[in-house]
């Protein structure tokens, strides 16, 4: 179906009452059109709603002045002479009433672009299959009802920065051939960019998304920034393809986002602070879903050789698995986290190793204290050497007969090992096993830190 001429549509003619701008820099004409449009729109709203819109969108006094029918009809009569509307066509607003319940710009070809900066749209806006060949300027606009841009094509800049969409915002299968700017937007109920194509850079910086933000099957051919974007609910990126860097460095996710790991670009930048990621859940079904998400991202980062990011997602994957696992598995995972932060920390197992040695030294000293008729430095050195030996070898006194004889000789004055209390042997074995585990975790963390494939 051929695209329609915008001058055949009453809403478009009404939105360009002072004339159709040729470019975004025609600021005077754009301002005059906006002033007329917002005066008419605000007059149609209930007083409480009107005051809210004026306050929240910082609308100037000139744009909120009451307008009468005579002024509307006078300007309308002049404008339709330069349009393709019939001479007896009525404006879409008259007597403070909306005569048309929908702004239907479906399948319209906007060859000059569309210039609706800071417009208030009171009813549903439908630009399905529209073609906007020039600048699409919706900066700071307020959509009070649904906004549909399904299968629309933006050939130049699509600028929705600072706009608010209080209901649904649907951009499914839209094509953005120029830069797409959605920075600082606020979307109330639901937004979808499913199967959309971004052929140039896209920016969703510092934006507030609704409970459901759907980017599934979207294609990003260039850089896309989600810096400081906030996702309070579901963020769906399943089968979305990123051919260039995607920046989530300062994004905030309330629940785990859904990604297909096979389509993530290797240079994707993830949030660095813990409070930018969702907190752990106690719900088993949610935990299973989170585990799948983190597992997918872990595998993607492994494939991209991004091992630090891989280990971060591995830790989140185990946190989620711990929620729905059996008692035994749950405690093994918890122990792994406590001892080494899931193999990410070198210092943590080192501190545990030192702590185990200090505990073993103190316990051995206390157990042997009664056998020292006169404590000497040589006794302390003997216990220190004995516990350090246990910290570096498996089995302690059970596997080192020479050390057992040496300790008995130093403490008891005789190499007879039967004098050594059984509790020391037991403590020595436990200390050796714990130390070996800590040494293993230190090596694992070093391997994860320095891994190069």
């Amino acid at each position: 179906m051929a695209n329609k001429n915008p001058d055949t549509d009453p809403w478009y003619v009404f939105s360009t009452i002072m004339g159709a701008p040729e470019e975004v820099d025609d600021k005077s004409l754009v301002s005059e059109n906006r002033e007329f449009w917002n005066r008419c729109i605000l007059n149609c709203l209930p007083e409480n709603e009107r005051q809210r819109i004026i306050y929240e969108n910082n609308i100037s006094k000139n744009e909120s002045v009451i307008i009468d029918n005579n002024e509307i009809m006078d300007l309308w009569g002049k404008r339709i002479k330069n349009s393709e509307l019939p001479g007896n066509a009525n404006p879409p607003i008259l007597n403070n009433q909306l005569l048309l319940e929908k702004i239907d710009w479906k399948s319209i070809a906007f060859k000059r672009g569309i210039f609706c900066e800071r417009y208030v749209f009171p009813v549903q806006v439908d630009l399905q299959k529209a073609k906007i060949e020039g600048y699409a300027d919706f900066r700071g606009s307020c959509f009070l009802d649904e906004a549909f841009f399904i299968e629309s094509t933006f050939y130049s800049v699509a600028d929705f920065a600072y706009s608010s969409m209080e209901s649904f915002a649907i951009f499914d299968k839209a094509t953005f051939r120029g830069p797409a700017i959605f920075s600082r937007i606020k979307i109330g109920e639901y937004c979808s960019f499913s199967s959309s194509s971004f052929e140039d850079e896209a920016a969703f910086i510092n934006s507030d998304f609704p409970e459901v933000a759907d980017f599934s099957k979207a294609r990003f051919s260039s850089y896309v920034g989600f810096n400081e974007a906030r996702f309070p609910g579901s963020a769906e990126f399943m089968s979305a393809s990123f051919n260039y860097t995607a920046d989530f460095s300062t994004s905030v996710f309330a629940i785990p986002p859904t990604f297909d790991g096979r389509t993530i670009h290797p240079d994707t930048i993830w949030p660095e602070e813990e409070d930018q990621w969702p907190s752990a859940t106690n719900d088993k079904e949610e935990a299973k879903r989170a585990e799948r998400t983190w597992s997918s991202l872990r595998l993607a980062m492994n494939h991209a050789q991004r091992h630090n990011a891989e280990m971060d997602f591995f830790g989140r994957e185990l946190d989620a698995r711990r929620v729905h696992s059996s008692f035994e598995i749950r405690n093994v995972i918890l122990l792994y986290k406590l001892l080494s932060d899931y193999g990410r920390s070198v210092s943590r197992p080192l501190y545990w190793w030192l702590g185990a040695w200090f505990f073993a030294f103190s316990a051995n000293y206390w157990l042997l204290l009664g056998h020292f008729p006169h404590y000497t430095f040589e006794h302390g050195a003997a216990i220190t050497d004995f516990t350090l030996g246990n910290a570096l070898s498996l089995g302690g006194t059970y596997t080192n007969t020479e050390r057992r004889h040496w300790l008995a000789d130093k403490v008891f004055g005789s190499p007879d090992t039967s004098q050594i209390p059984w509790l020391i042997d037991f403590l020595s074995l436990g200390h050796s096993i714990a130390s070996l585990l800590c040494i293993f975790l230190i090596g694992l963390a070093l391997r994860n830190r320095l891994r190069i494939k």
Side-chain angles (χ1 to χ4, degrees), residues 242-289:
F242 298 86
N243 297 329
Y244 202 74
T245 301
D247 190 347
F248 294 93
S249 58
T250 48
S251 300
V252 178
F253 296 96
I255 65 174
T258 303
F259 283 89
D260 183 345
R262 295 169 297 176
T263 59
I264 298 174
H265 193 271
D267 292 333
T268 297
I269 304 172
W270 301 105
E272 296 181 356
E273 302 297 329
E274 189 62 32
D275 59 4
Q276 294 174 243
W277 290 109
S279 55
T281 177
N282 292 322
D283 183 272
K284 291 186 177 182
E285 292 304 316
E286 289 184 11
K288 289 179 181 179
R289 177 184 176 277

Side-chain angles (χ1 to χ4, degrees), residues 268 270 297-298 301-302 306-314:
T268 297
W270 301 105
L297 292 173
R298 172 179 62 81
M301 293 299 98
N302 176 270
R306 295 274 304 281
H307 299 305
N308 286 338
E310 177 192 355
M311 291 304 301
D312 287 341
F313 289 124
F314 178 60

Side-chain angles (χ1 to χ4, degrees), residues 325-344:
S325 295
S326 64
F327 176 81
E328 296 80 6
I329 298 298
R330 188 160 60 245
N331 283 285
V332 168
I333 294 174
L334 179 61
L335 182 63
Y336 188 25
K337 182 176 184 177
L338 290 175
L339 290 178
S340 68
D341 192 22
Y342 298 130
R344 292 178 291 185

Side-chain angles (χ1 to χ4, degrees), residues 92-390:
I93 296 177
L94 200 60
N95 296 321
N96 295 336
Q97 297 292 322
L98 296 169
L99 304 183
L100 298 176
E101 297 180 353
K102 175 181 176 181
I103 299 176
D104 189 356
W105 288 343
K106 187 185 302 180
S107 300
I108 289 181
F110 298 92
K111 294 186 179 297
R112 290 185 294 263
I114 184 167
F115 307 97
C116 296
E117 180 187 5
R118 290 166 50 201
Y119 275 42
V120 177
F121 295 98
V123 293
Q124 182 188 107
V125 179
D126 189 353
L127 280 90
Q128 186 175 172
K129 296 184 178 180
K131 296 185 183 298
I132 306 174
E133 298 183 15
Y135 200 110
D137 189 2
F138 290 94
R139 287 174 295 171
S141 293
C142 178
F143 297 82
L144 300 180
D145 207 332
E146 299 164 340
F148 293 100
F149 295 84
I150 300 170
E151 294 187 65
S152 295
T153 303
F154 298 85
Y155 290 88
S156 184
V157 178
D159 195 346
F160 289 82
Y162 295 91
S163 63
S164 62
M165 300 177 177
E166 299 190 1
S167 184
F168 288 11
I170 312 297
F171 290 83
D172 292 351
K173 297 183 180 179
T175 300
F176 299 88
R177 296 188 176 175
I181 306 171
F182 289 87
S183 298
R184 296 182 182 272
I185 63 169
K186 294 181 179 180
I187 303 176
E189 295 184 20
Y190 174 84
C191 78
S192 177
F193 290 84
S194 179
S195 300
S196 293
S197 176
F198 297 84
E199 299 178 6
D200 206 325
E201 292 187 357
F204 295 85
I205 298 169
N206 204 0
S207 295
D208 289 293
F209 288 96
E211 285 298 318
V212 178
D214 187 0
F215 288 87
S216 59
K217 297 183 180 179
R219 296 179 299 279
F220 297 93
S221 299
S222 188
Y223 171 87
V224 55
F226 287 92
N227 316 63
E228 298 185 57
R230 290 164 288 278
F231 296 89
S234 174
E236 302 288 341
F237 290 90
M238 281 302 293
S239 299
S241 59
F242 298 86
N243 297 329
Y244 202 74
T245 301
D247 190 347
F248 294 93
S249 58
T250 48
S251 300
V252 178
F253 296 96
I255 65 174
T258 303
F259 283 89
D260 183 345
R262 295 169 297 176
T263 59
I264 298 174
H265 193 271
D267 292 333
T268 297
I269 304 172
W270 301 105
E272 296 181 356
E273 302 297 329
E274 189 62 32
D275 59 4
Q276 294 174 243
W277 290 109
S279 55
T281 177
N282 292 322
D283 183 272
K284 291 186 177 182
E285 292 304 316
E286 289 184 11
K288 289 179 181 179
R289 177 184 176 277
E291 182 185 359
R292 290 192 296 269
T293 294
W294 304 135
S295 176
S296 177
L297 292 173
R298 172 179 62 81
L299 293 173
M301 293 299 98
N302 176 270
H303 180 72
Q305 304 291 293
R306 295 274 304 281
H307 299 305
N308 286 338
E310 177 192 355
M311 291 304 301
D312 287 341
F313 289 124
F314 178 60
R316 299 182 193 284
E317 179 185 352
L318 290 182
D319 277 334
R321 185 180 302 171
R322 184 159 55 93
V323 174
H324 65 82
S325 295
S326 64
F327 176 81
E328 296 80 6
I329 298 298
R330 188 160 60 245
N331 283 285
V332 168
I333 294 174
L334 179 61
L335 182 63
Y336 188 25
K337 182 176 184 177
L338 290 175
L339 290 178
S340 68
D341 192 22
Y342 298 130
R344 292 178 291 185
S345 174
V346 175
S347 58
R348 190 176 295 188
L350 177 61
Y351 292 147
W352 278 107
W353 182 82
L354 291 172
W357 170 79
F358 182 76
F359 173 80
F361 175 85
S362 302
N364 275 277
Y365 181 81
W366 180 79
L367 288 170
L368 296 175
L369 185 62
H371 300 281
F372 299 148
H374 301 287
Y375 177 78
T376 65
F377 175 79
E378 190 176 24
H379 292 130
I383 296 176
T384 301
D385 182 76
F386 177 69
T387 52
L388 282 177
N390 293 335

